[in-house]
Amino acid sequence: MSVNSRIPGFYKLSPPERFKAIVERSGLPEGELASMVTADGKMLAIADRMIENVVGTLSIPLGVAANFTINGRDYLIPMATEEPSVVAAASNMASVARLHGGFWASSDQPIMISQIQVVGAKDPQAARLRLYERRQDLLDLANEQDPLLVKLGGGAKDIEVRIVNVADKTYVVLHLIVDVRDAMGANAVNTMAEALAPLVAQIACGRVRLRILSNKADLRLARVRATYDCQALGGPDVVDGIIDAYAFAAADPYRAATHNKGIMNGITAVVLATGNDTRAVEAGAHSHAAAGGRYTSLSHYEKDDAGNLVGTLELPMAVGLVGGATKTHPVAQAAVKLLGVKGAQELAEIIVAVGLAQNTGALRALAAEGIQKGHMSLHARNIAVAAGADGDEIEKVVARLKDEGHVRLDKAQTVLAELRQSGR
Ligand code: MEV
Protein backbone atom coordinates (compact mmCIF):
# COMPACT_ATOMS: atom_id res chain seq x y z
CA MET A 1 0.00 0.00 0.00
CA SER A 2 1.31 3.46 -0.82
CA VAL A 3 1.34 6.16 1.85
CA ASN A 4 0.49 9.80 1.41
CA SER A 5 3.46 11.65 2.88
CA ARG A 6 1.84 15.05 2.65
CA ILE A 7 0.81 16.04 6.19
CA PRO A 8 0.08 19.78 6.31
CA GLY A 9 1.21 21.38 9.59
CA PHE A 10 2.85 18.11 10.73
CA TYR A 11 5.62 20.01 12.47
CA LYS A 12 3.11 21.99 14.56
CA LEU A 13 1.53 18.87 16.09
CA SER A 14 2.50 17.37 19.45
CA PRO A 15 4.37 14.03 19.36
CA PRO A 16 1.22 11.97 20.17
CA GLU A 17 -0.73 13.85 17.47
CA ARG A 18 2.08 13.24 14.98
CA PHE A 19 2.09 9.57 15.91
CA LYS A 20 -1.66 9.38 15.31
CA ALA A 21 -1.21 11.09 11.94
CA ILE A 22 1.47 8.68 10.78
CA VAL A 23 -0.47 5.64 12.00
CA GLU A 24 -3.49 6.81 9.98
CA ARG A 25 -1.42 7.37 6.86
CA SER A 26 0.64 4.20 7.18
CA GLY A 27 -2.41 1.96 7.04
CA LEU A 28 -0.70 -0.23 9.67
CA PRO A 29 -2.37 -1.32 12.91
CA GLU A 30 -1.30 1.09 15.68
CA GLY A 31 0.23 -1.81 17.63
CA GLU A 32 2.84 -2.39 14.94
CA LEU A 33 4.23 1.11 15.40
CA ALA A 34 3.61 1.49 19.12
CA SER A 35 7.23 0.71 20.07
CA MET A 36 8.28 4.04 18.52
CA VAL A 37 6.54 5.86 21.33
CA THR A 38 8.27 6.14 24.66
CA ALA A 39 6.29 5.86 27.86
CA ASP A 40 8.60 8.46 29.40
CA GLY A 41 6.81 11.80 28.91
CA LYS A 42 9.81 13.81 30.14
CA MET A 43 12.11 12.16 27.61
CA LEU A 44 9.58 12.71 24.87
CA ALA A 45 9.41 16.41 25.68
CA ILE A 46 13.22 16.63 25.60
CA ALA A 47 13.35 14.78 22.29
CA ASP A 48 10.71 17.12 20.88
CA ARG A 49 12.97 20.07 21.67
CA MET A 50 16.04 18.38 20.20
CA ILE A 51 14.86 17.66 16.64
CA GLU A 52 11.84 18.22 14.41
CA ASN A 53 8.75 16.12 13.77
CA VAL A 54 9.40 13.90 16.80
CA VAL A 55 7.06 10.96 17.34
CA GLY A 56 9.14 8.99 19.84
CA THR A 57 12.62 7.92 20.83
CA LEU A 58 14.95 5.05 19.96
CA SER A 59 16.78 3.31 22.79
CA ILE A 60 20.28 2.04 22.10
CA PRO A 61 22.02 -0.23 24.62
CA LEU A 62 24.37 1.68 26.90
CA GLY A 63 27.26 -0.40 28.22
CA VAL A 64 30.15 0.60 30.44
CA ALA A 65 33.68 -0.43 29.47
CA ALA A 66 35.82 -1.46 32.42
CA ASN A 67 39.58 -1.70 33.07
CA PHE A 68 40.62 1.56 31.38
CA THR A 69 43.47 3.51 32.80
CA ILE A 70 44.41 6.57 30.76
CA ASN A 71 47.28 8.87 31.66
CA GLY A 72 47.49 7.12 35.01
CA ARG A 73 43.81 7.61 35.89
CA ASP A 74 41.06 5.00 35.89
CA TYR A 75 37.82 5.64 34.03
CA LEU A 76 34.49 3.86 33.68
CA ILE A 77 33.57 4.54 30.07
CA PRO A 78 29.97 4.66 28.81
CA MET A 79 29.48 3.24 25.33
CA ALA A 80 26.24 3.38 23.33
CA THR A 81 26.13 0.79 20.58
CA GLU A 82 23.84 -1.78 19.02
CA GLU A 83 26.75 -4.10 18.17
CA PRO A 84 27.55 -7.18 20.27
CA SER A 85 31.15 -7.76 21.45
CA VAL A 86 32.20 -4.10 21.18
CA VAL A 87 32.09 -3.25 24.90
CA ALA A 88 33.59 -6.63 25.85
CA ALA A 89 36.48 -6.29 23.37
CA ALA A 90 37.34 -2.76 24.56
CA SER A 91 37.25 -3.86 28.20
CA ASN A 92 39.43 -6.92 27.45
CA MET A 93 42.08 -4.95 25.64
CA ALA A 94 42.05 -2.31 28.36
CA SER A 95 42.87 -5.04 30.88
CA VAL A 96 45.80 -6.20 28.72
CA ALA A 97 47.09 -2.64 28.25
CA ARG A 98 46.78 -2.11 32.00
CA LEU A 99 49.60 -4.58 32.61
CA HIS A 100 51.95 -2.01 31.07
CA GLY A 101 50.40 1.12 32.57
CA GLY A 102 47.36 1.52 30.33
CA PHE A 103 46.91 4.19 27.67
CA TRP A 104 48.95 7.35 27.27
CA ALA A 105 47.09 10.07 25.46
CA SER A 106 47.60 13.68 24.43
CA SER A 107 45.65 16.17 22.39
CA ASP A 108 45.93 19.49 20.58
CA GLN A 109 44.18 22.62 21.73
CA PRO A 110 40.49 22.61 20.69
CA ILE A 111 41.00 24.42 17.40
CA MET A 112 38.35 24.30 14.68
CA ILE A 113 38.49 25.63 11.13
CA SER A 114 35.67 27.50 9.45
CA GLN A 115 35.73 27.94 5.68
CA ILE A 116 34.56 30.96 3.71
CA GLN A 117 34.47 30.35 -0.05
CA VAL A 118 34.88 33.37 -2.34
CA VAL A 119 33.93 33.00 -5.98
CA GLY A 120 34.50 35.36 -8.87
CA ALA A 121 37.53 37.24 -7.53
CA LYS A 122 39.25 38.64 -10.63
CA ASP A 123 42.70 38.66 -9.02
CA PRO A 124 42.65 35.67 -6.64
CA GLN A 125 46.34 35.79 -5.74
CA ALA A 126 46.14 39.46 -4.81
CA ALA A 127 42.79 38.88 -3.05
CA ARG A 128 44.51 36.26 -0.91
CA LEU A 129 47.14 38.74 0.19
CA ARG A 130 44.60 41.54 0.75
CA LEU A 131 42.79 39.20 3.17
CA TYR A 132 46.03 38.55 5.07
CA GLU A 133 46.63 42.32 5.26
CA ARG A 134 43.27 42.66 7.04
CA ARG A 135 43.89 39.71 9.40
CA GLN A 136 43.34 41.73 12.58
CA ASP A 137 40.10 43.35 11.35
CA LEU A 138 38.77 39.92 10.43
CA LEU A 139 39.73 38.41 13.78
CA ASP A 140 38.22 41.35 15.69
CA LEU A 141 34.94 41.05 13.83
CA ALA A 142 34.87 37.28 14.41
CA ASN A 143 35.52 37.71 18.12
CA GLU A 144 32.75 40.30 18.49
CA GLN A 145 30.33 37.45 17.74
CA ASP A 146 31.26 35.46 20.84
CA PRO A 147 32.52 37.56 23.78
CA LEU A 148 31.93 34.68 26.22
CA LEU A 149 34.21 32.35 24.26
CA VAL A 150 36.87 35.08 24.21
CA LYS A 151 36.47 35.57 27.96
CA LEU A 152 37.09 31.84 28.45
CA GLY A 153 40.38 32.14 26.57
CA GLY A 154 39.05 30.96 23.21
CA GLY A 155 37.97 32.80 20.08
CA ALA A 156 39.27 33.40 16.58
CA LYS A 157 43.06 33.18 16.66
CA ASP A 158 44.25 33.28 13.09
CA ILE A 159 43.38 33.04 9.43
CA GLU A 160 44.77 31.06 6.54
CA VAL A 161 43.87 31.85 2.95
CA ARG A 162 44.04 29.17 0.29
CA ILE A 163 43.57 29.14 -3.45
CA VAL A 164 41.47 26.22 -4.64
CA ASN A 165 41.48 25.58 -8.38
CA VAL A 166 38.67 23.54 -9.89
CA ALA A 167 38.42 23.08 -13.69
CA ASP A 168 38.26 26.64 -15.05
CA LYS A 169 37.41 28.27 -11.72
CA THR A 170 39.51 29.63 -8.91
CA TYR A 171 38.14 29.98 -5.40
CA VAL A 172 39.74 32.03 -2.69
CA VAL A 173 39.06 30.12 0.54
CA LEU A 174 39.54 31.81 3.87
CA HIS A 175 40.04 29.56 6.88
CA LEU A 176 39.12 31.13 10.18
CA ILE A 177 40.99 29.34 12.94
CA VAL A 178 39.04 29.33 16.18
CA ASP A 179 39.80 28.02 19.65
CA VAL A 180 36.40 26.70 20.76
CA ARG A 181 37.48 25.64 24.29
CA ASP A 182 35.07 23.01 25.70
CA ALA A 183 32.58 23.16 22.84
CA MET A 184 32.47 20.96 19.77
CA GLY A 185 32.41 24.37 18.17
CA ALA A 186 30.21 24.05 15.09
CA ASN A 187 27.78 26.77 16.18
CA ALA A 188 30.50 29.17 17.28
CA VAL A 189 32.55 28.92 14.09
CA ASN A 190 29.57 28.92 11.74
CA THR A 191 28.25 32.10 13.36
CA MET A 192 31.65 33.74 12.97
CA ALA A 193 31.96 32.66 9.33
CA GLU A 194 28.54 34.06 8.48
CA ALA A 195 29.33 37.35 10.21
CA LEU A 196 32.63 37.67 8.37
CA ALA A 197 31.26 36.93 4.92
CA PRO A 198 30.38 40.50 3.80
CA LEU A 199 33.79 41.86 4.83
CA VAL A 200 35.61 38.95 3.19
CA ALA A 201 33.63 39.48 -0.03
CA GLN A 202 34.45 43.18 0.02
CA ILE A 203 38.18 42.66 0.61
CA ALA A 204 38.47 39.87 -1.95
CA CYS A 205 36.28 41.72 -4.49
CA GLY A 206 34.26 38.58 -5.04
CA ARG A 207 31.13 36.92 -3.84
CA VAL A 208 30.92 34.63 -0.83
CA ARG A 209 29.22 31.29 -1.26
CA LEU A 210 29.78 28.75 1.55
CA ARG A 211 30.39 29.72 5.19
CA ILE A 212 30.71 26.57 7.22
CA LEU A 213 33.10 24.66 9.47
CA SER A 214 35.38 21.97 8.09
CA ASN A 215 34.98 18.53 9.61
CA LYS A 216 38.56 17.86 8.65
CA ALA A 217 39.48 19.08 12.12
CA ASP A 218 43.16 18.39 11.69
CA LEU A 219 44.28 21.12 14.08
CA ARG A 220 42.41 19.27 16.82
CA LEU A 221 44.10 15.88 16.88
CA ALA A 222 44.01 13.45 19.76
CA ARG A 223 46.54 10.67 20.03
CA VAL A 224 47.11 7.62 22.15
CA ARG A 225 49.61 4.80 22.62
CA ALA A 226 49.54 1.57 24.58
CA THR A 227 51.78 -1.43 25.11
CA TYR A 228 49.98 -4.76 25.06
CA ASP A 229 51.67 -7.61 26.82
CA CYS A 230 52.72 -10.35 24.37
CA GLN A 231 51.73 -13.30 26.60
CA ALA A 232 48.43 -11.74 27.66
CA LEU A 233 47.55 -11.25 23.99
CA GLY A 234 48.12 -14.94 23.28
CA GLY A 235 51.84 -15.15 22.47
CA PRO A 236 54.29 -14.06 19.75
CA ASP A 237 52.29 -15.52 16.88
CA VAL A 238 49.24 -13.45 17.82
CA VAL A 239 51.43 -10.33 18.02
CA ASP A 240 52.85 -11.10 14.57
CA GLY A 241 49.34 -11.76 13.29
CA ILE A 242 48.21 -8.33 14.52
CA ILE A 243 51.19 -6.69 12.87
CA ASP A 244 50.40 -8.50 9.61
CA ALA A 245 46.79 -7.35 9.91
CA TYR A 246 47.96 -3.77 10.44
CA ALA A 247 50.38 -3.95 7.47
CA PHE A 248 47.52 -5.24 5.32
CA ALA A 249 45.34 -2.26 6.33
CA ALA A 250 48.20 0.19 5.82
CA ALA A 251 48.66 -1.06 2.25
CA ASP A 252 45.14 -1.86 1.09
CA PRO A 253 42.20 0.59 1.21
CA TYR A 254 39.67 -2.28 1.13
CA ARG A 255 41.12 -3.65 4.35
CA ALA A 256 41.81 -0.17 5.79
CA ALA A 257 38.09 0.70 5.62
CA THR A 258 37.22 -2.34 7.77
CA HIS A 259 40.18 -1.83 10.08
CA ASN A 260 39.11 1.79 10.65
CA LYS A 261 35.50 0.69 11.08
CA GLY A 262 36.73 -1.38 14.01
CA ILE A 263 38.32 1.75 15.50
CA MET A 264 35.09 3.68 14.95
CA ASN A 265 33.09 0.94 16.72
CA GLY A 266 34.72 2.17 19.92
CA ILE A 267 34.95 5.84 19.08
CA THR A 268 31.38 6.30 17.87
CA ALA A 269 30.01 4.45 20.91
CA VAL A 270 31.60 6.92 23.35
CA VAL A 271 30.84 9.91 21.13
CA LEU A 272 27.18 8.88 21.02
CA ALA A 273 26.97 8.08 24.74
CA THR A 274 28.24 11.56 25.56
CA GLY A 275 25.77 13.24 23.20
CA ASN A 276 28.41 14.34 20.71
CA ASP A 277 28.14 14.47 16.93
CA THR A 278 29.06 11.01 15.63
CA ARG A 279 28.99 12.07 11.97
CA ALA A 280 31.37 14.97 12.57
CA VAL A 281 33.87 12.67 14.28
CA GLU A 282 33.48 10.02 11.57
CA ALA A 283 33.98 12.57 8.78
CA GLY A 284 37.10 13.84 10.54
CA ALA A 285 38.45 10.31 10.99
CA HIS A 286 38.01 9.25 7.38
CA SER A 287 39.37 12.52 5.99
CA HIS A 288 42.41 11.97 8.19
CA ALA A 289 42.79 8.39 6.95
CA ALA A 290 43.07 9.80 3.43
CA ALA A 291 45.20 12.82 4.38
CA GLY A 292 48.27 11.44 2.62
CA GLY A 293 46.37 11.18 -0.66
CA ARG A 294 45.49 7.49 -0.26
CA TYR A 295 43.06 6.00 2.26
CA THR A 296 44.97 4.01 4.87
CA SER A 297 44.94 2.73 8.45
CA LEU A 298 44.40 5.30 11.19
CA SER A 299 46.37 3.22 13.70
CA HIS A 300 49.89 1.79 13.69
CA TYR A 301 51.35 -1.30 15.33
CA GLU A 302 54.94 -2.27 16.09
CA LYS A 303 56.85 -4.49 18.52
CA ASP A 304 58.99 -3.32 21.42
CA ASP A 305 62.31 -4.94 22.45
CA ALA A 306 60.52 -7.47 24.64
CA GLY A 307 58.18 -8.56 21.83
CA ASN A 308 55.15 -6.74 23.23
CA LEU A 309 52.73 -5.08 20.84
CA VAL A 310 52.79 -1.28 20.77
CA GLY A 311 49.71 0.35 19.28
CA THR A 312 49.26 4.02 18.40
CA LEU A 313 46.35 6.02 17.05
CA GLU A 314 45.97 9.68 16.06
CA LEU A 315 42.96 11.39 14.53
CA PRO A 316 40.87 14.57 14.69
CA MET A 317 38.52 14.57 17.67
CA ALA A 318 35.96 17.36 17.59
CA VAL A 319 33.95 16.69 20.74
CA GLY A 320 32.65 19.02 23.40
CA LEU A 321 31.10 19.15 26.81
CA VAL A 322 29.00 22.27 26.42
CA GLY A 323 26.07 22.71 24.09
CA GLY A 324 24.22 20.26 21.89
CA ALA A 325 22.85 16.94 23.09
CA THR A 326 25.62 16.74 25.69
CA LYS A 327 23.74 19.40 27.63
CA THR A 328 20.16 18.48 26.73
CA HIS A 329 20.07 14.69 26.85
CA PRO A 330 19.87 13.33 30.40
CA VAL A 331 21.71 10.09 29.53
CA ALA A 332 24.55 12.04 27.90
CA GLN A 333 24.77 14.23 30.99
CA ALA A 334 24.98 11.17 33.22
CA ALA A 335 27.60 9.64 30.92
CA VAL A 336 29.77 12.75 31.20
CA LYS A 337 29.36 12.69 34.99
CA LEU A 338 30.39 9.04 35.12
CA LEU A 339 33.53 9.86 33.14
CA GLY A 340 34.30 12.72 35.50
CA VAL A 341 36.06 14.67 32.75
CA LYS A 342 37.06 18.29 33.33
CA GLY A 343 37.39 19.40 29.73
CA ALA A 344 36.83 18.55 26.08
CA GLN A 345 40.46 17.58 25.57
CA GLU A 346 40.29 14.98 28.32
CA LEU A 347 37.15 13.56 26.71
CA ALA A 348 38.91 13.46 23.31
CA GLU A 349 41.79 11.53 24.86
CA ILE A 350 39.46 8.97 26.43
CA ILE A 351 37.69 8.49 23.12
CA VAL A 352 40.87 7.76 21.16
CA ALA A 353 41.98 5.31 23.88
CA VAL A 354 38.74 3.39 23.40
CA GLY A 355 39.27 3.51 19.61
CA LEU A 356 42.71 1.97 19.96
CA ALA A 357 41.52 -0.71 22.41
CA GLN A 358 38.65 -1.59 20.09
CA ASN A 359 40.95 -1.87 17.10
CA THR A 360 43.44 -4.05 18.94
CA GLY A 361 40.61 -6.25 20.23
CA ALA A 362 39.31 -6.84 16.71
CA LEU A 363 42.78 -7.52 15.31
CA ARG A 364 43.58 -9.89 18.18
CA ALA A 365 40.44 -11.90 17.54
CA LEU A 366 41.11 -11.92 13.78
CA ALA A 367 44.71 -13.01 14.33
CA ALA A 368 43.72 -15.75 16.81
CA GLU A 369 40.36 -17.52 16.97
CA GLY A 370 38.51 -15.37 14.38
CA ILE A 371 35.82 -12.81 15.01
CA GLN A 372 32.73 -15.02 14.92
CA LYS A 373 33.37 -16.99 18.12
CA GLY A 374 33.06 -13.91 20.31
CA HIS A 375 30.12 -12.60 18.32
CA MET A 376 28.17 -15.82 18.36
CA SER A 377 26.79 -15.98 21.89
CA LEU A 378 25.16 -12.57 21.76
CA HIS A 379 24.27 -12.98 18.12
CA ALA A 380 22.63 -16.34 18.86
CA ARG A 381 20.63 -14.69 21.64
CA ASN A 382 19.44 -11.97 19.25
CA ILE A 383 18.49 -14.56 16.67
CA ALA A 384 16.61 -16.63 19.28
CA VAL A 385 14.62 -13.55 20.35
CA ALA A 386 13.99 -12.60 16.73
CA ALA A 387 12.60 -16.12 16.19
CA GLY A 388 10.11 -15.47 19.00
CA ALA A 389 11.80 -17.26 21.91
CA ASP A 390 10.77 -15.98 25.31
CA GLY A 391 11.95 -16.47 28.90
CA ASP A 392 13.96 -19.65 29.41
CA GLU A 393 13.31 -20.70 25.81
CA ILE A 394 16.00 -18.19 24.79
CA GLU A 395 18.93 -20.00 26.39
CA LYS A 396 17.62 -23.37 25.16
CA VAL A 397 17.46 -22.13 21.57
CA VAL A 398 20.91 -20.51 21.91
CA ALA A 399 22.44 -23.76 23.18
CA ARG A 400 20.99 -25.76 20.28
CA LEU A 401 22.07 -23.17 17.68
CA LYS A 402 25.62 -23.17 19.05
CA ASP A 403 25.76 -26.97 19.30
CA GLU A 404 24.66 -27.36 15.74
CA GLY A 405 26.89 -24.51 14.55
CA HIS A 406 24.11 -22.79 12.57
CA VAL A 407 23.21 -19.41 14.03
CA ARG A 408 20.44 -18.54 11.60
CA LEU A 409 16.88 -17.28 11.93
CA ASP A 410 15.31 -20.18 10.04
CA LYS A 411 17.20 -22.67 12.23
CA ALA A 412 16.13 -20.81 15.39
CA GLN A 413 12.49 -20.92 14.27
CA THR A 414 12.71 -24.66 13.66
CA VAL A 415 14.40 -25.28 17.03
CA LEU A 416 11.81 -23.15 18.82
CA ALA A 417 8.92 -24.95 17.13
CA GLU A 418 10.44 -28.30 18.13
CA LEU A 419 10.94 -27.16 21.72
CA ARG A 420 7.36 -25.97 21.97
CA GLN A 421 6.00 -29.13 20.40
CA SER A 422 7.92 -31.38 22.75
CA GLY A 423 6.85 -29.18 25.69
CA ARG A 424 10.47 -28.78 26.92
C1 MEV B 1 33.26 -5.41 13.01
O1 MEV B 1 32.27 -4.50 13.46
C2 MEV B 1 34.64 -4.77 13.05
C3 MEV B 1 35.75 -5.61 12.44
O2 MEV B 1 35.40 -5.97 11.12
C4 MEV B 1 37.00 -4.76 12.47
C5 MEV B 1 38.17 -5.39 11.74
O3 MEV B 1 37.99 -6.22 10.84
O4 MEV B 1 39.31 -4.99 12.08
C6 MEV B 1 35.93 -6.89 13.20
Side-chain angles (χ1 to χ4, degrees), residues 83 255 258-259 261-262 265 362-363 366 371:
E83 184 166 331
R255 174 57 206 155
T258 322
H259 177 101
K261 192 271 185 183
N265 276 346
L363 299 188
L366 289 167
I371 209 79

Side-chain angles (χ1 to χ4, degrees), residues 103-109 216-226 246 259-260 263-264 267 281-292 295-301 310-318 348-349 351-357 359:
F103 298 86
W104 300 98
S106 59
S107 55
D108 296 335
Q109 294 293 307
K216 183 172 162 55
D218 56 5
L219 300 176
R220 197 179 188 179
L221 301 181
R223 47 190 83 78
V224 64
R225 67 182 171 84
Y246 154 65
H259 177 101
N260 291 340
I263 295 172
M264 300 315 289
I267 287 182
V281 171
E282 281 157 10
H286 294 294
S287 70
H288 200 64
Y295 188 86
T296 187
S297 164
L298 283 165
S299 60
H300 298 271
Y301 288 91
V310 181
T312 53
L313 173 66
E314 182 177 61
L315 72 156
M317 193 46 65
E349 291 168 12
I351 292 171
V352 288
V354 176
L356 180 62
N359 180 224

Side-chain angles (χ1 to χ4, degrees), residues 8-350:
F10 188 50
Y11 73 99
K12 290 189 205 151
L13 303 178
S14 69
E17 288 167 341
R18 284 188 204 118
F19 179 69
K20 202 163 158 273
I22 62 150
V23 169
E24 276 164 20
R25 278 168 179 74
S26 73
L28 292 166
E30 184 172 334
E32 285 192 26
L33 299 179
S35 54
M36 286 180 170
V37 180
T38 173
D40 180 347
K42 197 168 149 220
M43 192 58 238
L44 192 60
I46 292 168
D48 196 31
R49 286 194 295 272
M50 286 175 73
I51 68 162
E52 308 73 37
N53 293 2
V54 163
V55 294
T57 57
L58 168 73
S59 289
I60 298 284
L62 181 78
V64 175
N67 307 324
F68 273 85
T69 179
I70 303 167
N71 293 337
R73 184 181 152 190
D74 273 25
Y75 292 94
L76 290 169
I77 305 183
M79 298 177 74
T81 180
E82 87 302 342
E83 184 166 331
S85 304
V86 163
V87 180
S91 304
N92 283 342
M93 283 307 107
S95 73
V96 177
R98 216 179 159 84
L99 300 173
H100 291 265
F103 298 86
W104 300 98
S106 59
S107 55
D108 296 335
Q109 294 293 307
I111 304 284
M112 294 298 282
I113 297 166
S114 199
Q115 296 192 293
I116 301 174
Q117 177 200 23
V118 181
V119 303
K122 290 281 172 296
D123 53 356
Q125 296 295 343
R128 176 172 174 269
L129 298 203
R130 287 199 298 277
L131 286 163
Y132 274 120
E133 287 155 29
R134 300 285 300 277
R135 180 196 313 250
Q136 199 53 51
D137 294 335
L138 291 163
L139 293 180
D140 290 347
L141 181 59
N143 283 327
E144 276 170 29
Q145 312 310 312
D146 203 333
L148 180 62
L149 183 61
V150 175
K151 206 167 138 209
L152 293 169
K157 300 290 180 190
D158 208 351
I159 60 166
E160 188 190 348
V161 193
R162 299 166 54 232
I163 299 287
V164 176
N165 292 307
V166 192
D168 59 341
K169 290 187 175 161
T170 299
Y171 303 130
V172 180
V173 179
L174 181 125
H175 283 193
L176 184 66
I177 295 166
V178 186
D179 182 330
V180 296
R181 296 286 86 203
D182 283 329
M184 183 274 181
N187 275 331
V189 304
N190 291 342
T191 304
M192 287 180 180
E194 290 190 4
L196 245 53
L199 181 58
V200 169
Q202 187 200 325
I203 299 169
C205 302
R207 183 170 162 209
V208 164
R209 293 263 194 212
L210 301 195
R211 298 141 292 161
I212 187 78
L213 92 167
S214 170
N215 287 118
K216 183 172 162 55
D218 56 5
L219 300 176
R220 197 179 188 179
L221 301 181
R223 47 190 83 78
V224 64
R225 67 182 171 84
T227 300
Y228 299 98
D229 188 79
C230 171
Q231 290 316 316
L233 277 177
D237 194 52
V238 173
V239 171
D240 287 341
I242 294 175
I243 289 180
D244 271 340
Y246 154 65
F248 183 13
D252 176 20
Y254 283 92
R255 174 57 206 155
T258 322
H259 177 101
N260 291 340
K261 192 271 185 183
I263 295 172
M264 300 315 289
N265 276 346
I267 287 182
T268 302
V270 188
V271 172
L272 184 60
T274 56
N276 275 287
D277 183 338
T278 53
R279 289 82 56 217
V281 171
E282 281 157 10
H286 294 294
S287 70
H288 200 64
R294 185 175 61 81
Y295 188 86
T296 187
S297 164
L298 283 165
S299 60
H300 298 271
Y301 288 91
E302 53 207 352
K303 261 194 281 192
D304 71 7
D305 279 352
N308 298 312
L309 181 76
V310 181
T312 53
L313 173 66
E314 182 177 61
L315 72 156
M317 193 46 65
V319 289
L321 291 174
V322 294
T326 308
K327 270 283 170 270
T328 50
H329 198 294
V331 179
Q333 283 175 308
V336 169
K337 277 205 187 109
L338 177 66
L339 283 169
V341 286
K342 299 277 174 299
Q345 281 183 256
E346 189 182 352
L347 176 60
E349 291 168 12
I350 292 169

